Amino acid sequence: MLAMLQPVRSILWSVALLLLGNGLINTLLTLRGTDEGFSSTMVGVIMSAYFVGFTCGTWVSSRLIRRAGHIRTFAFCAALCASGALLHIIFVDPWVWIVLRFFYGLAFVTLMTVIESWLNGQAASHERGRVFATYMLVNLGAIAAAQQILRLDTPGGFLLFAVTAILISWALLPITMTRRQQPTVPENAKSSLKALIGFAPLSVTASVLSGLAMGAFWGMAPLYARQLGWSAGDVGTLMSVTILGGALLQLPIGRFSDKHDRSQVLTWVVIAAAALAALMPFAPNQVALLGLFFLWGGFSFTIYPLAVAQLIDQLHPEEVVSASADMLVTQGAGSALAPIVAGALMGVLGPQALPLYIAAVLAVLGAYALYRRRHVSDLVYGHPAHFEPMTQTSPLALEMIFDDSQPDLFDDPSFYEEQERQRLIEAYRQRE
């Protein structure tokens, strides 16, 4: 295992430091905005700006890397993110924060594209699955740990913003000192969203609605806990517990879906997440609420990767890259809208509007998934894909997952025979 990780060790160190800083600033800004008297709706708009920038960045990041190279692009975008963190404390104004969050999101997704393209290039093809699993472990672990840094100072001080800038700046050190050869970045894949909606509507719908749910959590959960009267440290605990639930429960649920009907597993995971969110307003105490968030994180963090695996089940090999990019865009669109809607509802109905909003979104997805199961049978081409846990990332990560999830299928004649059989079945059903 250590030998396998040796080529990507410096990249993983940069990931850990970068995600520590990013995880801290995302929660910190919600708390600081609340303390400054920003309305719930305005806080939601500020948080949405990050997701808008992140989604837009998926189109420009590859071009920037091809123009400047991996290390220079990483240094450029890390400088933007670190300075942006400090500018938030210099200009405490919601409209300035909206602009800063947009450019921060655009720079951050470029940083992730650099990292994930480098992981793609350094990891051997037969090791990419394990490298990606380690990468996700570092990713989620760093975000969870970042929430505990909130205990160092109050959100109203300067220290936490300085720590964010320091961590992001330190992320430059391992990756800029590496002697590893820089990989090439592929051209952006042509969009196939219209086709995806036609033959994989459940996956696309799950992507959008999971974004509407998870974007509300990432953007507004700190405000929710703050309005309940929790301290900044308790807010950090809530975020950490939810992330740890997602980290610990994703894999067993996903591996279960590899061996059973994936659409059925997706349906019940969504329904369970909706039920857990609906129970949150009735939690009798803080410990019970933390327990509900832990379980909810385990189920809700699984929805998007299940949708991706469900989609790959239905794809031909040449369709994977463009489809994975479109899935990220649809999830990003949902994530961008979610904090605005959730923030407006919280401004009118109070903090409990957040879990009820999330429950309603997931209930709609659960109802649609049940409808699909009763009335439509989704085709699976060839062998099913393997589930891989993931968070919001760049299209290159999904390419890495797929490369290793089916390493030897395309050398197997039976794979193509099965594909042809499924094509004939589909043609027959269309004639009926």
Side-chain angles (χ1 to χ4, degrees):
M1 185 67 176
L2 293 176
M4 178 191 70
L5 296 178
Q6 181 64 27
V8 297
R9 183 178 59 181
S10 60
I11 302 172
L12 294 177
W13 274 112
S14 289
V15 169
L17 292 165
L18 183 64
L19 270 295
L20 278 170
N22 186 63
L24 175 59
I25 193 66
N26 286 344
T27 305
L28 176 59
L29 288 178
T30 302
L31 297 177
R32 180 60 183 264
T34 304
D35 292 348
E36 292 291 338
F38 299 171
S39 68
S40 299
T41 303
M42 180 55 73
V43 171
V45 174
I46 292 169
M47 295 301 106
S48 291
Y50 166 80
F51 292 110
V52 173
F54 193 100
T55 304
C56 292
T58 60
W59 289 307
V60 303
S61 56
S62 295
R63 295 190 186 97
L64 182 59
I65 296 169
R66 282 194 295 272
R67 176 179 178 179
H70 283 68
I71 292 178
R72 282 193 295 247
T73 299
F74 193 91
F76 177 78
C77 291
L80 284 178
C81 290
S83 59
L86 295 175
L87 287 171
H88 284 93
I89 195 65
I90 296 172
F91 301 101
V92 185
D93 179 274
W95 298 106
V96 175
W97 282 20
I98 290 170
V99 175
L100 290 174
R101 291 306 285 163
F102 172 82
F103 284 103
Y104 182 97
L106 195 151
F108 187 77
V109 73
T110 305
L111 291 172
M112 300 306 289
T113 304
V114 169
I115 287 167
E116 289 161 7
S117 65
W118 220 321
L119 286 174
N120 258 327
Q122 294 295 328
S125 60
H126 65 283
E127 294 175 340
R128 285 179 178 172
R130 285 179 291 171
V131 169
F132 184 82
T134 305
Y135 168 63
M136 279 293 110
L137 179 64
V138 172
N139 191 312
L140 290 169
I143 297 173
Q147 311 307 312
Q148 299 309 306
I149 302 176
L150 290 167
R151 298 181 182 276
L152 293 178
D153 194 18
T154 63
F158 174 77
L159 177 62
L160 294 176
F161 290 89
V163 169
T164 297
I166 290 169
L167 289 169
I168 295 173
S169 298
W170 281 356
L172 280 162
L173 302 180
I175 206 164
T176 53
M177 292 300 292
T178 184
R179 290 179 292 180
R180 302 284 177 180
Q181 184 177 0
Q182 299 183 53
T184 59
V185 179
E187 296 286 338
N188 288 338
K190 185 178 179 181
S191 175
S192 58
L193 183 57
K194 184 176 180 180
L196 288 186
I197 295 173
F199 72 81
L202 177 58
S203 295
V204 176
T205 303
S207 176
V208 174
L209 294 183
S210 71
L212 282 169
M214 296 308 299
F217 165 75
W218 290 116
M220 306 307 292
L223 175 60
Y224 164 76
R226 197 66 154 175
Q227 289 184 348
L228 293 180
W230 293 21
S231 67
D234 291 335
V235 172
T237 299
L238 173 69
M239 300 297 288
S240 293
V241 163
T242 309
I243 295 165
L244 287 174
L248 294 174
L249 299 183
Q250 267 196 74
L251 199 56
I253 293 173
R255 290 295 180 251
F256 181 82
S257 76
D258 286 343
K259 300 175 182 179
H260 299 82
D261 184 338
R262 200 180 316 270
S263 64
Q264 183 176 17
V265 174
L266 175 61
T267 301
W268 291 112
V269 163
V270 169
I271 291 172
L276 288 165
L279 289 173
M280 289 174 186
F282 307 102
N285 52 54
Q286 185 171 319
V287 174
L289 185 57
L290 288 173
L292 286 173
F293 266 97
F294 176 84
L295 294 173
W296 178 83
F299 286 103
S300 60
F301 278 48
T302 311
I303 295 172
Y304 178 68
L306 278 176
V308 171
Q310 171 80 6
L311 176 67
I312 293 176
D313 288 345
Q314 300 172 257
L315 291 177
H316 302 300
E318 66 275 9
E319 299 169 330
V320 171
V321 176
S322 61
S324 63
D326 288 331
M327 287 286 279
L328 286 170
V329 171
T330 57
Q331 195 208 28
S335 298
L337 182 61
I340 298 175
V341 177
L345 291 174
M346 292 172 72
V348 175
L349 303 175
Q352 298 301 347
L354 177 65
L356 293 177
Y357 158 81
I358 292 173
V361 170
L362 295 177
V364 170
L365 176 56
Y368 179 69
L370 283 173
Y371 167 81
R372 291 280 306 175
R373 283 194 51 76
R374 291 178 179 273
H375 296 88
V376 182
S377 297
D378 292 319
L379 288 175
V380 175
Y381 287 115
H383 299 266
H386 294 303
F387 174 93
E388 293 291 348
M390 68 182 73
T391 57
Q392 192 175 46
T393 182
S394 80
L396 294 174
L398 294 179
E399 183 181 355
M400 174 165 43
I401 296 170
F402 185 75
D403 281 347
D404 190 61
S405 65
Q406 296 178 326
D408 54 2
L409 293 183
F410 309 133
D411 295 328
D412 182 1
S414 65
F415 173 72
Y416 293 101
E417 293 170 5
E418 177 65 16
Q419 279 196 315
E420 183 61 26
R421 188 179 73 85
Q422 295 286 4
R423 289 183 189 277
L424 292 173
I425 293 172
E426 183 178 16
Y428 178 76
R429 289 180 59 193
Q430 288 175 348
R431 286 197 299 271
E432 285 188 326

